[in-house]
C-alpha cells in the first residue's frame, strides 16, 4: 500500500534544489502567466525547463531568452506517439532523465496559477521525509494516477532506480482510436504508470493541490474558444 507521511518540520527544501518543469502546447500566454504567478507568490523563480510540444505556435522568444526551452516543436526531438497523453508523458520522461540538474523537480501544467499558500508550503517542506509529493486520484475516469498538474519528484531517486515516467503500453487514453484498451472507462492518463511503479516503494506525501494552485484545465476548452482568457482575468490577483 502507499506510504503516506504527515506534515512535519525538519530539513527545509530550498529553491536551489528545485527545477520547475512544464510542457507547453501552443500557448505562450499560459506558460508566461504560470511562471509570473510563481514569482509573485514566492518572490523568485528556481531553474525552469520548458519542453515545447507545440504543432502550431512555437514557444515565444522571450521565454527562450529567460528559460531553458527544449525544442520539440512538431516532434523535432521526440517521435510522435499519436496521442496527447503519450506525447506529454514521453516529454516529461525525457526531461527527468536528461534535463533536470537539481535533486527535485516541480512538475506542473502550464495552465495553473499559484496561490499565496505555495510560499509557506515550499519553505516548510521537510525534503528528507518523502520521495514524491502530490495528489493521487482521477478526474475523468479511473484508474488512479499521480496528477501531473502539480507534483514534486525526487529526480535523483528516479534515476538511481532506473524508473520511467512514460510507458508506451500503459499510457492509453480513451481518445486513442483503434486500441483495444481505448474505452471511456479506462483512462490510463499522464502519471498513471509512474504512480503504479512507485506506489508501494516510494514515500508519497499526499496533499490537496487545490490548496496551492488554481487550475484552468485548458485542454477542455479546445472546442469552446479561449475561455482561459476569462480564467486568467478572474484570477488576476494571483499573477
Amino acid at each position: 500500500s502507499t506510504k503516506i507521511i504527515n506534515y512535519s518540520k525538519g530539513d527545509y527544501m530550498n529553491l536551489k534544489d528545485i527545477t520547475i518543469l512544464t510542457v507547453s502546447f501552443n500557448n505562450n500566454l499560459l506558460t508566461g502567466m504560470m511562471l509570473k504567478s510563481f514569482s509573485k507568490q514566492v518572490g523568485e523563480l528556481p531553474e525552469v525547463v520548458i519542453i515545447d510540444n507545440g504543432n502550431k505556435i512555437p514557444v515565444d522568444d522571450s521565454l527562450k531568452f529567460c528559460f531553458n526551452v527544449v525544442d520539440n516543436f512538431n516532434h523535432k526531438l521526440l517521435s510522435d506517439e499519436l496521442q496527447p497523453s503519450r506525447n506529454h508523458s514521453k516529454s516529461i520522461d525525457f526531461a527527468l532523465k536528461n534535463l533536470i540538474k537539481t535533486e527535485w523537480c516541480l512538475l506542473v501544467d502550464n495552465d495553473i496559477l499559484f496561490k499565496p499558500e505555495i510560499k509557506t508550503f515550499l519553505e516548510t517542506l521537510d525534503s528528507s521525509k518523502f520521495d514524491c509529493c502530490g495528489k493521487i486520484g482521477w478526474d475523468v475516469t479511473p484508474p488512479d494516477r499521480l496528477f501531473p498538474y502539480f507534483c514534486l519528484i525526487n529526480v535523483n531517486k528516479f534515476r538511481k532506480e532506473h524508473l520511467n515516467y512514460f510507458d508506451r503500453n500503459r499510457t492509453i487514453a480513451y481518445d486513442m482510436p483503434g486500441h483495444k484498451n481505448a474505452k471511456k472507462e479506462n483512462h490510463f492518463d499522464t502519471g498513471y504508470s509512474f504512480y503504479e511503479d512507485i506506489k508501494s516503494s516510494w514515500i508519497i506525501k499526499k496533499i490537496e493541490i487545490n490548496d496551492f494552485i488554481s487550475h484552468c484545465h485548458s485542454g477542455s476548452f479546445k472546442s469552446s474558444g479561449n475561455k482561459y482568457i476569462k480564467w486568467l482575468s478572474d484570477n488576476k490577483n494571483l499573477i
Side-chain angles (χ1 to χ4, degrees):
S1 61
T2 301
K3 298 178 182 179
I4 304 170
I5 66 168
N6 295 321
Y7 174 89
S8 63
K9 293 183 178 180
D11 298 326
Y12 298 156
M13 185 173 290
N14 194 298
L15 282 186
K16 67 179 177 59
D17 300 323
I18 300 173
T19 296
I20 291 177
L21 170 64
T22 195
V23 180
S24 176
F25 185 77
N26 297 334
N27 200 312
N28 292 301
L29 179 61
L30 287 176
T31 303
M33 293 299 100
M34 179 270 291
L35 294 172
K36 183 179 179 182
S37 176
F38 187 96
S39 181
K40 174 180 179 175
Q41 305 300 351
V42 178
E44 58 182 309
L45 276 171
E47 292 293 319
V48 175
V49 172
I50 302 168
I51 298 187
D52 182 4
N53 262 13
N55 61 356
K56 296 179 181 178
I57 304 171
V59 166
D60 188 81
D61 286 343
S62 62
L63 291 171
K64 292 178 181 178
F65 179 79
C66 296
F67 308 111
N68 181 8
V69 176
V70 179
D71 186 3
N72 190 41
F73 188 72
N74 276 317
H75 311 287
K76 194 174 297 183
L77 176 66
L78 303 171
S79 60
D80 187 1
E81 294 292 330
L82 305 178
Q83 199 276 329
S85 292
R86 287 157 66 108
N87 284 330
H88 192 180
S89 298
K90 188 174 186 178
S91 298
I92 295 169
D93 185 72
F94 179 81
L96 290 173
K97 291 176 178 176
N98 300 285
L99 303 176
I100 308 301
K101 298 178 181 179
T102 54
E103 181 178 0
W104 291 90
C105 172
L106 176 57
L107 173 63
V108 295
D109 278 4
N110 69 339
D111 60 346
I112 68 168
L113 296 174
F114 296 91
K115 296 178 179 180
E117 290 79 5
I118 187 65
K119 180 176 174 63
T120 301
F121 171 71
L122 290 175
E123 289 178 344
T124 57
L125 270 179
D126 185 351
S127 60
S128 68
K129 294 294 195 296
F130 63 91
D131 304 311
C132 187
C133 176
K135 181 177 180 178
I136 298 164
W138 46 271
D139 53 6
V140 178
T141 66
D144 283 342
R145 60 176 176 149
L146 180 65
F147 286 112
Y149 317 140
F150 176 93
C151 68
L152 278 159
I153 299 170
N154 188 316
V155 180
N156 291 347
K157 188 176 178 70
F158 177 88
R159 291 175 179 170
K160 184 178 180 180
E161 297 182 3
H162 304 288
L163 292 170
N164 300 301
Y165 192 89
F166 171 58
D167 184 320
R168 186 172 286 106
N169 295 319
R170 290 186 294 160
T171 307
I172 307 159
Y174 63 76
D175 58 349
M176 190 173 180
H179 197 283
K180 63 181 180 180
N181 287 333
K183 302 175 182 178
K184 288 266 185 178
E185 62 269 23
N186 294 325
H187 195 83
F188 302 103
D189 208 341
T190 309
Y192 160 72
S193 66
F194 177 58
Y195 172 62
E196 284 292 299
D197 291 341
I198 68 170
K199 67 180 183 180
S200 61
S201 59
W202 278 36
I203 300 173
I204 301 175
K205 180 178 176 67
K206 295 175 71 175
I207 59 172
E208 177 47 66
I209 58 178
N210 290 332
D211 291 343
F212 309 108
I213 65 169
S214 173
H215 190 198
C216 178
H217 293 279
S218 61
S220 63
F221 297 154
K222 291 177 182 178
S223 61
S224 57
N226 291 342
K227 288 187 178 179
Y228 61 85
I229 300 294
K230 184 179 185 305
W231 173 77
L232 287 170
S233 178
D234 291 342
N235 291 277
K236 61 185 177 183
N237 61 306
L238 302 180
I239 302 171

